[in-house]
Amino acid sequence: MIEDGLADEARAWVTLLLSGGATQGDARLLAGWRMTSPAHERAFLQAARAHQITREAIGVLRSEGADPTRPSPVRSGIDRRILIGGGLSVAAGLAVFVAVRPETFVTSPVGAIETAKGERRTVNAGRGVSIELNTLSRVVLREDLGHGGFELLRGEALVSIDPSAGSVQMAAGAARIVARGARLGLRNLSGDLSAACLEGQATVLLGGREALLEAGQTVAWSAGELGAVTQRAQSAASEWWRGVLVFDNERLGDVIGELNRYREGRIVVANPAIAARRISGAFYINQLDQVVEQLRLAYGVRIVRMPGNIVVVS
């Protein structure tokens, strides 16, 4: 007889594995969880059977073995499909085969300055130029851009430029940002590039076009296209420096993705219907674990906590 709490944890592990968001780090955590006791192993195998992992595994193996002349796909680093538990894990006649996402390690350019998850850091880029980096952000100071010049390689930065510093050039993606005596919020996250002017003025240059930003305005751009200037709306990208994440009618799945940039471990939404729900709210960055409890109370969702600070919402 498997205890209810242990069965819940096992089902949460299987849900995470089938969500498509599991990493190799999760696989290692699961391996340790399964070795905690024979009861843990039995609970996992029972949950795996319930989710029909065996049938999916056999289907994948058969399809790959159907044509021995077919070339194997090229993979980098550790094989993206690993057998949980190490090697060929066979217990009670069950081979558990799951897909995991390789963790990405990015080498920083020489001289780059970066922050870890949940960390904020202030960088002095030169006389009168201050850069506050948000979580998981990276900048490099660039002499070719002149005094105080830098490039935001990843993440978010709050830039304060004193009038005494003169005109300062910044780069993010393919754009150049020029400002003097201003306060700006810059963002560069997986193709999501933007500049928000909080005080003063700034000019964004891209592909022969330019956008003049006044206080309270923002502009976004892609690799080769500069968007229209709009009024800055409150969002998770605009209030982090106050220690608050603000969301206005945004998908819960997107909100969770933003929260995961700040907290250790990960929150996984296992139910697509829940991920599509729209929510609004403001959450303190230093109290993000309370968000999970708020979701449970507000939406009646089921919460399962697992080792490694992993939380499954279903």
Side-chain angles (χ1 to χ4, degrees):
M1 180 69 178
I2 298 175
E3 296 179 1
D4 290 342
L6 200 57
D8 287 344
E9 290 185 24
R11 283 192 292 269
W13 273 117
V14 174
T15 300
L16 171 62
L17 295 175
L18 296 180
S19 71
T23 67
Q24 292 162 324
D26 297 330
R28 289 189 290 270
L29 287 171
L30 171 57
W33 184 88
R34 289 176 63 184
M35 290 187 291
T36 302
S37 73
H40 284 71
E41 177 69 1
R42 287 196 301 272
F44 177 77
L45 294 176
Q46 179 174 304
R49 290 190 187 95
H51 284 78
Q52 299 181 332
I53 289 181
T54 304
R55 187 169 64 182
E56 295 178 13
I58 293 173
V60 171
L61 293 172
R62 282 178 176 171
S63 65
E64 291 192 351
D67 183 0
T69 65
R70 183 179 59 186
S72 299
V74 176
R75 296 190 175 99
S76 60
I78 301 174
D79 194 326
R80 64 180 290 272
R81 298 170 310 171
I82 67 174
L83 298 174
I84 297 303
L88 184 59
S89 176
V90 182
L94 176 65
V96 181
F97 189 76
V98 298
V100 298
R101 177 171 50 83
E103 295 165 305
T104 302
F105 299 92
V106 180
T107 302
S108 298
V110 176
I113 304 166
E114 60 187 348
T115 54
K117 178 177 281 194
E119 179 188 9
R120 284 165 60 180
R121 179 177 179 181
T122 300
V123 178
N124 181 8
R127 178 178 52 83
V129 182
S130 174
I131 310 168
E132 183 176 354
L133 296 179
N134 194 18
T135 178
L136 295 174
S137 298
R138 182 186 295 123
V139 297
V140 61
L141 304 183
R142 288 179 47 177
E143 293 183 358
D144 61 307
L145 294 180
H147 172 74
F150 69 91
E151 181 176 359
L152 178 63
L153 301 171
R154 183 187 71 183
E156 296 161 302
L158 175 65
V159 187
S160 299
I161 305 171
D162 190 85
S164 63
S167 181
V168 175
Q169 290 192 63
M170 298 149 275
R176 294 290 180 270
I177 304 97
V178 183
R180 177 173 182 170
R183 192 162 172 259
L184 311 172
L186 302 182
R187 183 176 176 95
N188 183 359
L189 287 172
S190 300
D192 178 9
L193 295 122
S194 65
C197 183
L198 308 178
E199 297 175 10
Q201 292 182 335
T203 302
V204 180
L205 308 167
L206 176 63
R209 294 185 58 201
E210 67 176 57
L212 176 63
L213 300 180
E214 304 282 352
Q217 294 182 325
T218 185
V219 68
W221 60 91
S222 58
E225 184 176 352
L226 188 62
V229 174
T230 61
Q231 290 300 121
R232 185 175 70 92
Q234 281 193 328
S235 69
S238 67
E239 300 296 328
W240 61 264
W241 48 79
R242 305 182 193 276
V244 180
L245 299 181
V246 181
F247 303 97
D248 182 16
N249 193 36
E250 299 189 40
R251 290 181 66 258
L252 177 60
D254 295 334
V255 171
I256 294 300
E258 187 70 18
L259 299 183
N260 281 333
R261 296 181 54 237
Y262 294 84
R263 68 183 296 278
E264 291 298 328
R266 191 164 71 258
I267 304 173
V268 178
V269 183
N271 187 332
I274 294 176
R277 291 181 181 178
R278 297 279 173 174
I279 71 169
S280 299
F283 309 112
Y284 288 102
I285 292 175
N286 61 357
Q287 299 176 13
L288 291 184
D289 279 341
Q290 295 182 7
V291 177
V292 176
E293 182 62 18
Q294 292 172 10
L295 292 176
R296 186 184 69 80
L297 294 174
Y299 297 100
V301 297
R302 188 166 176 269
I303 304 295
V304 178
R305 299 181 184 273
M306 302 190 302
N309 209 17
I310 295 174
V311 177
V312 178
V313 180
S314 61

